[in-house]
Amino acid sequence: MSGKDFESFREDTLNALGLKGLNSGIFDGKWKDTQGRDVYKSTSPVDGKHIADLTLAKREDFDTIVRNSRKIFEEWRDFTAPKRGEIIRSLGDLLVKRKKDLGALVTLEVGKTPSEGEGEIQEMIDVAYFASGLSRQLYGLTMGSERPYHRLYEQWVPLGPVGIISAFNFPAAVWSWNAMIAAVAGDTAIWKPSTKAALTATGVMKAVSEALDDLGAPQIFSLMVSRGNDGGEWISNEKGIPLVSFTGSTGTGTRLYEKVSARMGRSILELGGNNAAIVTEKSDMNVALKGVAFGALATAGQRCTSTRRVIVQDTIYDEFVDRLKKVYSGVKIGNPNDPGVLVGPLIDRKAIKTYLDAIETGKNQGGKVLYQGQDLKIQGLEGGNYVSPTIMEAKQEMPIIKVETFGPLLYVFKYHSFDEALKMHNDVPQGLSSAIFTTDLMEEEEFLSARGSDCGIANVNTSTAGAEIGGAFGGEKETGYGRESGTDSWKAYMRRQTVTKNFGKDVPLSQGVKFDV
Ligand code: NAD
């Protein structure tokens, strides 16, 4: 696709979603007008050109959003959970119709390939339908009471407005993991997206709010595009937001956690990963190569679950590395819309600098570059943010391998014993995703045992990246706290209440305590 064709793609995408020119980035039940506000200029990492403008929220906008969100919450919590589920199911139906357009917006603003961009909208659809089913299963447990004629059980009650702060790299899906589940739980949601992906958030909010209007449902979702620090701080310190779900880097997440905890709020923290794959001599090497290449290269290495380290048994190390280099050399990098392209741009110039600096640091610490990462200029897209991927032979004592570099930088390590591989695997501060490639049952089970992978996600013969929404998603150690999306993650969006009912004629006390009056 030439630069010119990409311009047509940009026009078509913006027109299809009604996002041309200046847009309001503030939705509090209705779109705030755009007069007299600071503006954020959104550019595409594909060609570096301007896409559209968005207004930025001020403190008073935030206060209005919180007030409205609380008011709508008081209405929404009275809807039965299955009714809430029905509305969220309809949002899923709407997203099926808008999948192509919204997927294209993700490509335009974040540079994902169309398959990955649309995949992200598919994830939203999947979560909507999952949440809809869940709306009939927000179950509590019933216990046998120690007191006669008593009933003891727990129930789950809506929490209130939930704050969702999202990262640039999953500009649509992460919101839905939280917002759809929160909605069936009876909560409202206030979204502060990354400014780097704020147009996608605006496109999603436009589509969803129109659908809610068509359904005659309350506007349970609000949006606040703001400068990262501003909006993030307002949400962190706001007592009216009992739960903040934060997705982003470990540094920012840690600071947010301190603030939210200080006001006794709750947080879900989905922070940085440093994910490894172990490849043993018992692996099917074709499967391992595909899994590692997808994990390291998809989204140009800008996934929280990207494979950043591969730990290979010494007996197959040379063959594996040679074959991986061949796979890398066949991967097409460039305009994500071009057929066959698998690796698009990094998000901005700063990301390129961080990536190239990490390669230099790695070399200075003793790493050996086996496949060189460089700044690339793609013809016709000179303003885009392209790099070629890197494979670096590394040693465990190199400090840089413990840091998440958000780009296609893969460290390879050699191991001799399986114990050594496990030790290397776990010897990083992060704990999000992990993988082993083996056909040996013993190795697989060791990896999944208590002394195996210490991550929130463990995969066997598949990539560290590419989670399904049905599983609970989240990490351990410096990756943060809490789970999103699947299984019983919904419990985080509700408050638990233990109920004791007496249907007798006396008031017997627990633990046999006597208090006769
Ligand atoms: P980031 O930390 O720069 O930004 C994340 C969000 O925090 C943005 O919305 C930003 O505007 C906001 N923010 C900025 N300052 C803030 C403050 N003071 N208080 C509160 N919020 C503030 O992260 P990014 O570059 O957008 O995303 C990449 C990072 O996100 C990587 O570390 C990646 O691993 C992580 N990530 C994690 C997951 C996961 O599920 N674990 C998923 C996606 C991304």
Side-chain angles (χ1 to χ4, degrees):
M1 186 184 260
S2 69
K4 202 148 183 273
D5 290 341
F6 190 71
E7 267 167 39
S8 321
F9 167 74
R10 175 182 13 245
E11 291 300 291
D12 294 348
T13 304
L14 295 176
N15 283 332
L17 294 161
L19 289 171
K20 272 203 83 169
L22 177 63
N23 294 273
S24 174
I26 309 147
F27 182 79
D28 65 3
K30 47 192 178 335
W31 291 98
K32 281 276 162 119
D33 64 29
T34 51
Q35 299 304 310
R37 289 170 188 280
D38 287 351
V39 165
Y40 176 76
K41 291 192 171 304
S42 169
T43 54
S44 174
V46 175
D47 62 359
K49 291 196 180 142
H50 177 247
I51 312 177
D53 294 334
L54 288 162
T55 56
L56 292 161
K58 295 187 264 199
R59 174 72 214 202
E60 51 266 36
D61 299 317
F62 172 68
D63 292 338
T64 313
I65 286 175
V66 174
R67 235 183 356 261
N68 283 353
S69 194
R70 178 82 214 172
K71 216 164 111 206
I72 302 278
F73 166 69
E74 283 165 13
E75 185 188 342
W76 181 241
R77 67 185 172 190
D78 288 342
F79 281 53
T80 63
K83 180 70 197 164
R84 299 194 291 254
E86 217 178 288
I87 291 167
I88 296 305
R89 194 189 61 222
S90 303
L91 293 188
D93 296 341
L94 157 92
L95 289 166
V96 170
K97 292 189 199 121
R98 307 311 302 267
K99 179 172 162 182
K100 221 171 167 51
D101 291 336
L102 287 170
L105 186 59
V106 174
T107 298
L108 182 62
E109 196 184 26
V110 180
K112 293 193 183 191
T113 61
S115 165
E116 288 188 53
E118 285 177 34
E120 203 169 316
I121 312 307
Q122 184 58 47
E123 209 166 321
M124 300 177 79
I125 297 163
D126 294 342
V127 177
Y129 293 154
F130 171 76
S132 173
L134 198 59
S135 69
R136 289 182 183 267
Q137 298 176 70
L138 303 173
Y139 52 80
L141 296 171
T142 301
M143 286 67 65
S145 172
E146 67 188 55
R147 288 170 274 181
Y149 302 109
H150 275 61
R151 204 155 87 74
L152 181 63
Y153 65 96
E154 64 180 18
Q155 60 171 352
W156 293 86
V157 185
L159 201 56
V162 171
I164 302 170
I165 300 179
S166 55
F168 79 84
N169 65 329
F170 278 94
V174 162
W175 171 75
S176 69
W177 296 353
N178 289 282
M180 304 288 188
I181 307 287
V184 296
D187 302 332
T188 50
I190 300 168
W191 186 10
K192 195 218 82 63
S194 163
T195 36
K196 294 175 206 166
L199 196 64
T200 302
T202 308
V204 166
M205 189 57 67
K206 270 200 170 160
V208 165
S209 60
E210 281 162 23
L212 288 172
D213 265 346
D214 290 348
L215 291 164
Q219 289 293 347
I220 50 179
F221 303 128
S222 13
L223 175 73
M224 175 182 66
V225 175
S226 68
R227 293 209 167 79
N229 254 331
D230 289 352
E233 297 284 327
W234 299 335
I235 291 180
S236 309
N237 294 320
E238 175 55 54
K239 273 191 176 258
I241 300 180
L243 170 69
V244 182
S245 177
F246 175 88
T247 305
S249 53
T250 297
T252 312
T254 308
R255 289 192 292 280
L256 171 126
Y257 180 56
E258 284 166 9
K259 287 181 194 126
V260 177
S261 308
R263 63 171 171 84
M264 289 296 173
R266 296 190 208 166
S267 308
I268 298 172
L269 299 167
E270 300 289 356
L271 313 180
N274 188 358
N275 318 292
I278 296 176
V279 181
T280 85
E281 63 180 14
K282 309 267 179 53
S283 64
D284 175 330
M285 202 180 280
N286 290 329
V287 171
L289 285 164
K290 279 191 181 177
V292 169
F294 171 73
L297 297 176
T299 326
Q302 298 170 107
R303 292 184 178 213
C304 49
T305 52
S306 291
T307 308
R308 311 219 173 271
R309 299 175 294 134
V310 56
I311 304 163
V312 187
Q313 193 158 6
D314 49 8
T315 47
I316 56 159
Y317 182 86
D318 290 341
E319 184 191 351
F320 180 82
V321 169
D322 274 354
R323 289 186 62 187
L324 188 64
K325 278 168 28 184
K326 279 201 192 86
V327 172
Y328 267 50
S329 60
V331 167
K332 214 165 143 189
I333 304 161
N335 184 339
N337 266 345
D338 278 348
V341 164
L342 292 178
V343 178
L346 295 188
I347 191 67
D348 53 22
R349 300 304 301 174
K350 194 169 157 233
I352 294 188
K353 184 174 180 328
T354 308
Y355 172 68
L356 297 176
D357 284 354
I359 297 169
E360 281 312 303
T361 308
K363 285 200 275 191
N364 293 336
Q365 292 176 358
K368 189 168 144 206
V369 171
L370 305 177
Y371 192 93
Q372 175 63 58
Q374 281 156 341
D375 198 346
L376 290 182
K377 288 286 162 238
I378 306 279
Q379 209 189 350
L381 301 171
E382 282 75 11
N385 308 322
Y386 300 91
V387 293
S388 62
T390 305
I391 302 173
M392 182 181 283
E393 189 170 68
K395 300 239 158 11
Q396 198 59 23
E397 26 327 329
M398 289 165 52
I400 188 79
I401 63 112
K402 306 216 171 169
V403 178
E404 178 194 46
T405 299
F406 224 51
L409 169 54
L410 181 69
Y411 300 111
V412 281
F413 302 82
K414 202 183 279 182
Y415 79 85
H416 182 62
S417 73
F418 195 68
D419 275 357
E420 193 191 344
L422 280 181
K423 208 161 163 252
M424 288 160 86
H425 179 277
N426 290 345
D427 184 24
V428 291
Q430 307 83 353
L432 181 54
S433 187
S434 58
I436 186 166
F437 290 89
T438 181
T439 53
D440 183 287
L441 177 70
M442 310 294 184
E443 287 178 343
E444 175 193 317
E445 286 297 333
E446 280 276 293
F447 183 71
L448 298 174
S449 74
R451 61 183 210 92
S453 161
D454 62 359
C455 295
I457 297 164
N459 299 305
V460 178
N461 293 324
T462 190
S463 174
T464 58
E468 295 182 26
I469 64 102
F473 186 91
E476 302 293 330
K477 305 194 288 183
E478 287 186 8
T479 297
Y481 187 80
R483 294 293 183 268
E484 285 174 359
S485 193
T487 68
D488 66 349
S489 304
W490 59 268
K491 289 180 177 171
Y493 303 83
M494 304 195 82
R495 77 188 151 79
R496 184 196 298 244
Q497 189 169 60
T498 301
V499 180
T500 310
K501 276 186 195 172
N502 176 8
F503 54 97
K505 298 280 181 225
D506 202 357
V507 186
L509 300 175
S510 51
Q511 296 87 44
V513 170
K514 297 282 173 224
F515 196 83
D516 295 326
V517 286

